[in-house]
Amino acid sequence: MSDLFGNCPPPESAVKAERQPLPERLRPRALEDVVGQEHLTGPNGALTRMLAGGKLPSLILWGPPGTGKTTIARLLADRVNLHFVQISAVFSGVADLKKAFDQARQRARMGEGTLLFVDEIHRFNRSQQDGFLPYVEDGTVTLVGATTENPSFELNAALLSRTQVLVLNRLDETALGKLLDRAEEATGKPLPLTPEARAALVGMADGDGRFLLNSAEMLLGLPVDGPMDTAALSEVLARRLPVYDKDREGHYNLLSCFHKSLRGSDVNAAMYWAARMIAGGEEPTTIFRRLACAASEDVGMADPQAMVQVITAWQAFERVGWPEGRLFLAQAIAYVATAPKSNAAYTAFNEALALAKQTGSLAPPKHILNAPTRLMKELGYHEGYKYDHDFPDAFSGQEFFPEPLAGPNRPDFYRPNERGFERDIRKRLDYWEGLRRKRRSE
């Protein structure tokens, strides 16, 4: 039907499509159109090879938010001609799963397969995850689970053994730039941004394509006179919070990056990873704990002041608080990262522990045992003990190991290197060893 001016109204489907959010309107219609995941969807990609074989296995798609997990699942269902069913572990329970499995069985009886896409699959508990197993094993469903968490930690081993894990990458600048180009092409309008502001928008997205397209849709709808610069963009949009779960893998990954940067004497990288954790909402005490570990494990006796610096800075932080407390955190990071490194004490104790477990309950030498009773004195406890302060250099050279470990081949756990303060310790140990040999021969 025409209106008063003779114009035909657009089809209802076109109106509905126009009202959809931009990320939904731009959802790729083919795997080849998915950006940023060429290692999966490209000519030699893992998914491309699977589909070439004509059969799709059950999958776990692991990657950050906004990288195309749902899109890929939908496209896979279309490609292998499976009925697509989507549920979310956040909003679904046992009843929803049972209904999905029952309907899949009914379809199977009619010769139609089902691809069951489970978003946030890691949020199902262990028993709920076990519930998938019989339906995956007998082919009732082809399971495609999506997760932002490390499947090794969050999913049952039994479920993992029946699926293949595919890793989706965080979208890089090139992939995000393609999405912005598609947004402008789909809307027929250029983004009202200067080149610098456009680059800043990509940075704000932090690898999340959905966030980028939602932001682009907002900007394209603004009544602006000219391109906005970076400052104006910042006033309109809030920066996306970093992806960082303080009790999950992101927490441990960034702590690992931080500690390894300290160990590698890269003060700038250590500052960066600490800042990433703080920006993600990490408690500064967590970073101080890691600093204390590094000060002992990696600096050790090469600079014993490293531990003093960390503990002092930690105490100062607890007294002063944030934001001034970052001064103490920065100083401690700088000290530990730039200190000379030695793990000699750490290695020595590990070797001592291993020998202690191996040798069991060797009797200690009696001369270094106290004799508080007459019986103990009669048994020879404390007999022959040499008081070190009665000797030159306060060193008697007496043996302190159990007899099977004593003598010229006594264990040598602690081997200081030639870095920092351990140079002096090395000289001291060599001097004492010379005296020990001399006293042993007297």
Side-chain angles (χ1 to χ4, degrees):
M1 179 182 295
S2 302
D3 60 17
L4 294 176
F5 300 96
N7 298 316
C8 294
E12 183 179 349
S13 59
V15 174
K16 183 178 180 181
E18 188 67 25
R19 290 174 180 171
Q20 287 181 324
L22 188 58
E24 188 63 31
R25 288 159 54 194
L26 293 182
R27 194 182 290 277
R29 301 293 184 260
L31 279 172
E32 295 76 14
D33 296 331
V34 175
V35 300
Q37 312 302 338
E38 287 75 17
H39 64 296
L40 300 179
T41 61
N44 298 313
L47 283 173
T48 305
R49 294 196 301 271
M50 289 179 189
L51 294 171
K55 185 172 176 61
L56 181 70
S58 289
L59 304 170
I60 300 297
L61 303 179
W62 172 29
T67 52
K69 296 185 289 295
T70 304
T71 295
I72 288 175
R74 289 177 181 273
L75 294 174
L76 287 174
D78 290 340
R79 184 68 68 89
V80 296
N81 198 27
L82 293 176
H83 184 83
F84 182 80
V85 176
Q86 178 175 352
I87 63 174
S88 170
V90 177
F91 302 109
S92 303
V94 174
D96 301 291
L97 288 175
K98 186 177 182 303
K99 179 180 178 181
F101 293 138
D102 288 344
Q103 292 176 344
R105 277 193 166 149
Q106 293 175 14
R107 291 188 204 96
R109 294 189 190 101
M110 296 183 290
E112 183 181 14
T114 300
L115 187 150
L116 178 62
F117 176 65
V118 183
D119 198 15
E120 303 286 341
I121 191 172
H122 62 276
R123 294 187 181 274
F124 278 132
N125 61 37
R126 300 289 175 175
S127 61
Q128 289 172 321
Q129 290 178 30
D130 284 338
F132 288 100
L133 300 179
Y135 302 98
V136 172
E137 288 176 342
D138 67 11
T140 300
V141 299
T142 297
L143 174 66
V144 178
T147 178
T148 57
E149 301 298 333
N150 189 329
S152 300
F153 302 145
E154 302 298 331
L155 298 184
N156 284 358
L159 185 58
L160 285 176
S161 70
R162 292 161 175 81
T163 59
Q164 293 190 35
V165 177
L166 300 181
V167 180
L168 278 73
N169 295 329
R170 173 184 179 274
L171 299 188
D172 59 18
E173 292 183 4
T174 301
L176 293 172
K178 289 180 181 178
L179 290 182
L180 288 183
D181 292 340
R182 291 180 184 179
E184 291 174 323
E185 182 179 354
T187 59
K189 295 189 292 184
L191 281 165
L193 300 172
T194 65
E196 295 77 15
R198 189 185 185 96
L201 175 62
V202 169
M204 286 180 176
D206 193 24
D208 187 332
R210 188 183 302 107
F211 176 91
L212 183 76
L213 291 177
N214 284 330
S215 300
E217 184 172 29
M218 180 190 299
L219 293 169
L220 289 167
L222 291 177
V224 293
D225 296 330
M228 291 187 290
D229 59 15
T230 304
L233 174 66
S234 298
E235 292 180 4
V236 173
L237 292 180
R239 179 176 294 273
R240 180 184 181 278
L241 291 176
V243 178
Y244 184 70
D245 292 316
K246 291 186 287 183
D247 61 342
R248 296 184 184 272
E249 194 201 7
H251 162 83
Y252 297 106
N253 283 346
L254 265 61
L255 272 180
S256 176
C257 294
F258 176 58
H259 194 148
K260 289 181 174 64
S261 300
L262 293 170
R263 179 181 297 149
S265 300
D266 191 334
V267 63
N268 295 308
M271 293 278 188
Y272 169 76
W273 292 115
R276 278 279 299 273
M277 287 187 279
I278 291 295
E282 186 60 83
E283 292 294 333
T285 52
T286 299
I287 302 174
F288 274 115
R289 281 195 293 271
R290 184 58 54 176
L291 277 167
C293 292
S296 180
E297 176 185 351
D298 300 301
V299 178
M301 292 300 290
D303 187 350
Q305 277 294 314
M307 181 64 76
V308 177
Q309 286 281 332
V310 170
I311 298 303
T312 302
W314 196 345
Q315 291 172 341
F317 177 86
E318 290 177 340
R319 292 185 179 184
V320 176
W322 201 259
E324 291 88 348
R326 62 183 174 178
L327 302 172
F328 317 129
L329 181 60
Q331 181 176 341
I333 293 171
Y335 197 101
V336 172
T338 58
K341 302 300 189 295
S342 173
N343 70 341
Y346 169 71
T347 301
F349 195 64
N350 284 344
E351 292 180 14
L353 282 172
L355 184 60
K357 292 177 182 178
Q358 176 185 339
T359 55
S361 303
L362 290 179
K366 289 184 178 180
H367 62 266
I368 60 173
L369 298 177
N370 290 328
T373 70
R374 183 172 65 182
L375 175 61
M376 296 171 77
K377 290 177 182 177
E378 291 174 352
L379 292 173
Y381 282 45
H382 201 65
E383 183 178 344
Y385 173 67
K386 298 175 182 178
Y387 186 57
D388 288 88
H389 294 284
D390 289 341
F391 291 82
D393 298 306
F395 183 81
S396 68
Q398 195 163 36
E399 185 60 70
F400 299 102
F401 271 108
E403 185 175 348
L405 303 178
N409 296 322
R410 65 203 308 273
D412 183 22
F413 304 128
Y414 182 48
R415 298 177 293 275
N417 57 50
E418 292 295 324
R419 293 186 292 275
F421 183 65
E422 281 198 328
R423 283 193 298 266
D424 296 329
I425 297 176
R426 178 74 268 171
K427 294 175 183 176
R428 198 178 303 163
L429 290 177
D430 290 342
Y431 175 69
W432 283 335
E433 183 57 30
L435 283 180
R436 185 178 286 111
R437 288 195 298 267
K438 179 180 179 183
R439 303 275 161 76
R440 193 182 293 134
S441 64
E442 291 176 350

